[in-house]
């Protein structure tokens, strides 16, 4: 098993998405930039940080993968301030929150506090899912709005 994510700091938000399908990274980054603009009001150029676990020759261990993502997040925070973390998609939610598919589908639109992450965290649909099904954009925006106003 392998875990592939894309961490994208944009403005004061860190987006953590499952890795986009081959050839769609540009569209995913454009979508994330539009979300960051809608959230923060300023135009930003998102800078992607691909994450893949495990390294070659190492067996997959979810706890180690989560620790590695938290380490990358800590490194990013050394030079940026994040007011929130938006987790996009089932794979990212599984790694960071330990959720299974049923828990992901039953998620509530609210911010959460997660040990090891010092900013409110919100879970919504993956960017690839939003691009495949534009009707999900409304649901994701509702998730983001509710999470921002609903507190922790």
């Amino acid at each position: 098993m392998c875990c592939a994510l894309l961490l994208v700091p944009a403005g004061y938000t860190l987006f953590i998405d499952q890795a986009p399908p081959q050839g769609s990274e540009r569209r995913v980054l454009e979508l994330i930039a539009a979300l960051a603009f809608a959230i923060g009001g300023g135009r930003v150029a998102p800078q992607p940080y691909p994450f893949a676990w495990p390294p070659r020759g190492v067996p997959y261990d979810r706890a180690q993968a989560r620790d590695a993502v938290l380490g990358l997040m800590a490194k990013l925070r050394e030079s940026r301030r994040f007011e929130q973390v938006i987790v996009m998609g089932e794979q990212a939610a599984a790694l960071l929150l330990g959720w299974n598919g049923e828990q992901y589908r039953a998620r509530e639109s609210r911010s959460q506090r997660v040990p090891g992450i010092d900013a409110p965290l919100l879970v919504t649909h993956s960017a690839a899912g939003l691009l495949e099904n534009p009707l999900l954009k409304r649901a994701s925006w509702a998730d983001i709005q509710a999470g921002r106003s609903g507190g922790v």
Side-chain angles (χ1 to χ4, degrees):
M1 178 179 241
C2 178
C3 173
L5 301 176
L6 188 65
L7 284 73
V8 184
Y12 293 112
T13 302
L14 174 62
F15 295 87
I16 303 176
D17 195 4
Q18 48 202 45
Q22 183 103 12
S24 66
E25 184 174 305
R26 182 187 58 77
R27 290 183 62 218
V28 163
L29 292 176
E30 288 171 355
L31 176 67
I32 289 174
L35 282 171
F37 175 74
I39 291 167
R43 298 251 180 238
V44 295
Q47 182 177 1
Y49 292 86
F51 172 85
W53 193 267
R56 176 171 280 157
V58 175
Y60 179 79
D61 178 276
R62 187 166 78 185
Q64 290 177 351
R66 184 178 190 278
D67 288 347
V69 169
L70 293 177
L72 178 54
M73 291 173 67
K75 185 159 183 66
L76 292 173
R77 287 196 75 116
E78 290 174 2
S79 60
R80 294 177 174 83
R81 188 180 94 221
F82 302 121
E83 294 177 359
Q84 64 185 338
V85 176
I86 297 180
V87 174
M88 302 179 78
E90 188 174 335
Q91 182 181 2
L95 181 66
L96 290 168
L97 299 161
W99 287 2
N100 61 30
E102 186 176 315
Q103 290 170 307
Y104 172 77
R105 288 184 293 281
R107 71 189 178 281
E108 295 179 21
S109 298
R110 66 178 179 84
S111 291
Q112 304 177 50
R113 288 288 180 179
V114 176
I117 301 174
D118 59 355
L121 183 139
L122 176 72
V123 179
T124 193
H125 299 281
S126 70
L130 298 176
L131 291 170
E132 288 174 18
N133 183 354
L135 295 177
L136 292 178
K137 290 178 182 177
R138 181 173 289 169
S140 283
W141 184 244
D143 287 343
I144 291 168
Q145 290 298 99
R148 293 181 76 207
S149 64
V152 189

